[in-house]
Amino acid sequence: MDDFGLPGAGTGADGTAVVRVLGYNVRSLRDDEDALARVIRACGPDLVFVQEAPRFFRWRKHAARLAAKCDLVVLTGGATAAGPLILCSLRVFVERTDDVLLPLTPGLHRRGFATAVVRIAGARMALLCAHLSLQAAERQEQAGLLLDRLAAMDAPYGIAAADVNEGPDGPAFRRLARDLQDCRAVAPWGGDRTFPATAPDTRLDAVFASRDVEVLGCGVPLGLPGVTEADLKAASDHLPVLAALRLPARV
């Protein structure tokens, strides 16, 4: 247990993995990148599901720089997934990755999924990072595509993190929470609302997990060591969501 009250990452003698997952919309690194790196490092994540990663000029360089500042590596995603990006610690063994572009609706922003199948200790899991549409009908369709894609990856466990672009009462959010666990609702910890960072009044961002994952705690991390409230406000226009998950050994 860390000094801010969430179980730390680790491995049991039986191969059970406790995994820290961070979901974070970083607004294309347009804010204070050093503050952002301080927040991510302080969370001690195994996996970081980034929404709105840089997508244009030298985007790979920007992603690699952020990963290095956070003592992580780039797993998959970025411009090839239209923005979603996954970073990981060296604790993660990568089996395969795949970036998916979703159908384009004329006049709307292109969306995609960053996906991977990985192992941590004795647990094998499918990962999916997403940023759903601003348009309600397309957003609900993309929620269904997210669920279909996660199931098709054929891993014992599934973990997804998304900027859903609507709150928990919205139809797309409810669809995801019906088939997966909304980790914050299952085991509330820390703060609740994620947007806007300067005065959060809604929960747009979430971590979801398949039903056989044990959720130990999930929410906006508060009281992070070495991180000020000003850092959280300066890092991005969203606040991060941190979850601690226990996954029994299963391949």
Side-chain angles (χ1 to χ4, degrees):
M1 189 81 70
D2 273 354
D3 55 7
F4 57 96
L6 194 70
T11 305
D14 61 353
T16 293
V18 175
V19 178
R20 277 199 180 178
V21 174
L22 187 68
Y24 212 158
N25 182 317
V26 303
R27 193 159 67 160
S28 299
L29 302 181
R30 287 183 289 168
D31 299 291
D32 187 332
E33 191 174 312
D34 290 331
L36 176 66
R38 284 194 294 274
V39 173
I40 293 174
R41 283 198 312 269
C43 289
D46 293 297
L47 299 162
V48 183
F49 293 73
V50 175
Q51 295 86 38
E52 288 195 38
R55 296 184 295 118
F56 300 111
F57 184 65
R58 293 184 176 175
W59 66 268
R60 288 183 175 86
K61 179 179 178 179
H62 294 307
R65 185 182 66 240
L66 176 63
K69 285 184 176 183
C70 301
D71 301 320
L72 301 168
V73 297
V74 174
L75 174 55
T76 193
T80 49
L85 170 75
I86 304 177
L87 309 179
C88 69
S89 73
L90 296 181
R91 189 175 176 227
V92 177
F93 176 84
V94 182
E95 184 175 305
R96 66 179 189 269
T97 64
D98 192 16
D99 297 332
V100 180
L101 292 176
L102 300 181
L104 176 62
T105 301
L108 296 181
H109 176 66
R110 188 75 186 234
R111 304 284 173 172
F113 300 148
T115 76
V117 176
V118 306
R119 297 186 189 192
I120 300 178
R124 181 170 174 265
M125 63 203 77
L127 312 176
L128 190 153
C129 180
H131 185 186
L132 302 191
S133 176
L134 289 166
Q135 201 274 335
E138 185 179 56
R139 186 164 61 241
Q140 191 163 7
E141 180 182 358
Q142 289 170 354
L145 293 172
L146 185 159
L147 294 169
D148 291 345
R149 182 71 185 185
L150 201 62
M153 292 166 70
D154 194 28
Y157 302 108
I159 301 170
D163 176 349
V164 186
N165 261 325
E166 67 181 30
D169 292 334
F173 203 120
R174 292 200 310 269
R175 184 172 187 179
L176 294 173
R178 185 172 61 243
D179 285 26
L180 302 168
Q181 298 183 87
D182 170 8
C183 295
R184 167 69 191 179
V186 171
W189 165 88
D192 179 36
R193 298 169 183 178
T194 64
F195 183 83
T198 51
D201 60 11
T202 188
R203 181 161 75 98
L204 299 181
D205 307 272
V207 175
F208 300 95
S210 54
R211 296 292 175 185
D212 40 6
V213 172
E214 181 183 358
V215 183
L216 304 176
C218 180
V220 175
L222 305 173
L224 292 167
V227 172
T228 66
E229 183 178 349
D231 284 333
L232 284 167
K233 292 179 178 179
S236 177
D237 61 339
H238 287 243
L239 295 174
V241 179
L242 179 62
L245 310 174
R246 180 179 284 122
L247 293 77
R250 191 184 302 172
V251 296

